[in-house]
């Protein structure tokens, strides 16, 4: 029986052969990731084993990003636990404030993940690396501890759903809009326990940044992982960056998918996820005139350079609406530096935006942009659960950076074409 | 595994931000987390819940973040087990790893009400509501995960494997 792309990668990483969906396997793990919220619990569990080191110090990656720069003493203590662990076990892939980034933007940028990898991370958005043709999935802290000790992780071989995108995208429509549309179509548990495999000419035309955005949000449909086929865009991205050679796997032509969805992207306009589920998705045309108090541009979903470029294109020569706070978070130090050199950060500051150092802060209601009761935000992040960004009675709408920038100018949710014309960049 | 207890009923898609909001994630102390368990779904829950009570929820319980703080908070609040129509996959793994018993049971959440008492027989794989005759089937736990439970959780399982091999297993 034919295998899916996900099954091919898993089979390459385990002893078992002829995998079938539902089977439990033990896989070799290429990269294991933790952050300042999840690593301290993993470290506690790891230290209880009484062994003298991690399975491979070069394959463990630790990134303080959630509550850094340390927001309070408790956060500082957690970051310190992780820093000391990294020193104790000579983990060189620990990224200090000033060199770090939001983990899921940072790992691809640093070339730590490559095509064909099996990656686990104690963070649900670890699925982001599927954009590179890797199998990547989120786990908990105890699973991370077990992998740090053994280099292996158990998985249930997932069934797969195939998503085929064809046609030409409308102006201002990005990977964010395609994935929001898809989650809106299948629901927040529409891919529960499954792999989401993306294909079709309309995804082949997407940039790596757009693919990373799409894979990032597959967890919002309940998926185990999301994955793209390796093509020229992938190779160009990995070239000169990936620290290990890419390994390219392909789905069998007779691979079995439990479900297939076909989308004509020419019919998809910018999309908005309404409170309080990422699957509560409607076209921007049905959201216009909703007033907002805060706009957040950034996160592991949409804080990459091309995201900032689109936002700057719309904000150039314009002002943020006086009733709106616009907060921009470049996702990594490198993105920050490049945005600085390109003049993008100047555009933001001149428009009246606050520009922050990289952090997950506001996305999860941690710090740097918390909402009060009754306030409403439009964010380029990935979740809009009740209270996600602050008070339990605050609201979050999710959208692309283009919609976010246009909305910051008008003070209400707005199609980018209304502010910046019919031609997108 | 057998449990009997008073139930608290929640709907579909209860996410980990409702189970334990991120503003409390600067601690991993079970007692601290328990004080805020389910706070954004029901602010009074940490006060109301009693030791041995059971949570019954709809589909996709525990969706969202990978935070293990979620099952830790539920367990530390005294909840004996969680029964849902379905669980988000990372929460499912975490609950086993943390030793919080969870049961997938279709249909139960649609017919119970808060304060009902349910009886869970994990060995027979069935759940009943006190005063009612209908029996609900529990989805079987995969044998591999049963083995994890028998070993005492994932870390105990890893310890056993490491001891059996005299060192870290070859990668």
């Amino acid at each position: 029986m034919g295998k899916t792309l996900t099954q091919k990668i898993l089979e390459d990483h385990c002893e078992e052969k002829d995998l079938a969906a539902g089977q439990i396997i033990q896989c070799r793990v290429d990269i294991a990731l933790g952050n300042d919220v999840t690593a301290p619990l993993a470290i506690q569990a790891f230290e209880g084993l009484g062994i003298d080191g991690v399975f491979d110090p070069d394959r463990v990656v630790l990134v303080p990003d959630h509550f850094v720069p340390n927001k309070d003493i408790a956060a500082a203590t957690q970051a310190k636990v992780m820093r000391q662990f990294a020193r104790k076990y000579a983990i060189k892939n620990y990224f200090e404030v000033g060199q770090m980034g939001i983990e899921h933007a940072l790992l691809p940028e640093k070339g730590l993940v490559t095509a064909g990898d099996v990656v686990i991370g104690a963070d649900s958005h670890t699925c982001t690396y599927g954009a590179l043709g890797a199998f990547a999935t989120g786990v908990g802290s105890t699973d991370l501890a077990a992998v740090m000790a053994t280099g292996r992780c158990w998985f249930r071989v997932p069934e797969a759903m195939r998503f085929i995108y064809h046609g030409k995208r409308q102006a201002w429509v990005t990977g964010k809009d395609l994935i929001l549309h898809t989650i809106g179509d299948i629901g927040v548990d529409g891919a529960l326990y499954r792999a989401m495999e993306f294909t079709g000419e309309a995804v082949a035309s997407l940039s790596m940044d757009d693919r990373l955005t799409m894979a990032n949000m597959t967890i919002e449909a309940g998926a185990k992982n999301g994955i793209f086929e390796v093509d020229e865009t992938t190779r160009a991205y990995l070239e000169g960056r990936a620290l290990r050679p890419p390994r390219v796997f392909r789905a069998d032509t007779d691979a079995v998918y439990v479900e297939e969805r076909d989308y004509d992207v020419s019919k998809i306009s910018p999309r908005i996820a309404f409170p309080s589920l990422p699957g509560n998705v409607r076209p921007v045309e049905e959201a216009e005139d909703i007033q907002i108090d805060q706009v957040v541009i950034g996160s592991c979903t949409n804080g990459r350079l091309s995201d900032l470029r689109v936002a700057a294109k719309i904000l150039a020569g314009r002002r943020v609406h006086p009733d709106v706070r616009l907060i921009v978070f470049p996702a990594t130090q490198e993105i920050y530096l490049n945005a600085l050199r390109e003049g993008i950060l100047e555009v933001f500051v001149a428009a009246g935006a606050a520009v922050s150092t990289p952090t997950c802060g506001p996305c999860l209601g941690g710090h740097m942009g918390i909402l009060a009761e009754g306030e409403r935000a439009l964010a380029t992040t990935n979740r809009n659960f009740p209270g996600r960004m602050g008070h339990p009675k605050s609201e979050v709408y999710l959208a692309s950076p283009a919609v976010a920038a246009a909305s910051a100018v008008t003070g209400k949710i707005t199609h980018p074409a209304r502010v910046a014309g019919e031609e997108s960049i | 595994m057998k449990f009997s207890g008073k139930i608290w009923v929640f709907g579909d898609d209860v996410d980990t931000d409702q189970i334990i909001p991120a503003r409390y994630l600067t601690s991993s102390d079970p007692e601290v987390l328990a004080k805020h368990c389910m706070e954004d779904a029901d602010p009074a829950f940490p006060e109301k819940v009693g030791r041995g009570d059971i949570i019954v929820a709809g589909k996709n319980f525990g969706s969202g973040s990978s935070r293990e703080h979620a099952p830790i908070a539920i367990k530390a609040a005294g909840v004996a087990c969680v029964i849902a129509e379905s669980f988000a996959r990372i929460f499912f793994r975490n609950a086993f790893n943390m030793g919080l018993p969870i049961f997938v049971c279709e249909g139960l959440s649609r017919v119970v009400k808060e304060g009902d008492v349910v009886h869970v027989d994990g060995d027979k794989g069935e759940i009943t509501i006190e005063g009612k005759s209908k029996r609900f089937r529990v989805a079987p736990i995969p044998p591999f995960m049963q083995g994890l439970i028998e070993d005492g959780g994932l870390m105990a399982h890893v310890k056993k494997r490491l001891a059996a091999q005299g060192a870290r297993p070859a990668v």
Side-chain angles (χ1 to χ4, degrees), chain B residues 13 21 27 45 63 83 89 102 104 109 115 119 121 133-134 139 144 147-148 152 166 170:
Chain B
D13 304 312
S27 173
F45 185 79
S63 56
I83 307 164
R89 63 162 283 276
I102 59 174
V104 176
S109 77
H119 303 287
D121 187 330
S133 56
K134 187 171 163 67
F144 173 78
L148 283 186

Side-chain angles (χ1 to χ4, degrees), chain B residues 14-88:
Chain B
V14 173
D15 61 81
T16 54
D17 281 280
Q18 293 180 66
I19 297 171
I20 183 73
R23 56 186 176 273
Y24 304 118
L25 297 184
T26 51
S27 173
S28 49
D29 179 348
E31 296 310 311
V32 173
L33 298 174
K35 284 189 190 126
H36 303 288
C37 179
M38 308 300 288
E39 185 178 285
D40 280 7
D42 176 0
F45 185 79
E47 294 297 316
K48 296 189 298 192
V49 67
R51 195 145 292 276
D53 287 358
I54 291 170
I55 288 177
V56 176
K59 67 183 178 67
N60 201 27
F61 186 85
S63 56
S65 137
S66 68
R67 63 190 71 155
E68 220 156 80
H69 310 65
I72 292 174
I74 292 173
K75 198 179 169 195
V79 172
C81 65
V82 182
I83 307 164
E85 303 283 328
S86 65
F87 290 92

Side-chain angles (χ1 to χ4, degrees), chain A residues 48-49 53 67 78 122-124 137-143 149 152-154 188-189 193 364 383 385 388 392, chain B residues 13 15 17 22 25-26 40 59 64-66 68-69 87 89-90 93-94 97-98 144 154-155 159 168 170-171:
Chain A
L49 288 173
F67 295 139
Q78 292 194 147
D123 188 278
S124 60
T137 193
V139 296
S141 297
T142 304
D143 278 313
R152 284 169 194 264
C153 190
W154 70 268
V188 291
D189 63 349
Y193 301 114
L364 75 162
R383 289 190 175 134
F385 300 143
R388 172 73 177 176
Chain B
D13 304 312
D15 61 81
D17 281 280
L25 297 184
T26 51
D40 280 7
K59 67 183 178 67
S65 137
S66 68
E68 220 156 80
H69 310 65
F87 290 92
R89 63 162 283 276
I90 306 177
R93 284 182 86 106
N94 287 348
N97 290 343
M98 281 292 104
F144 173 78
L154 180 65
M155 291 320 285
K159 217 168 186 169
R168 188 171 300 115
V171 181

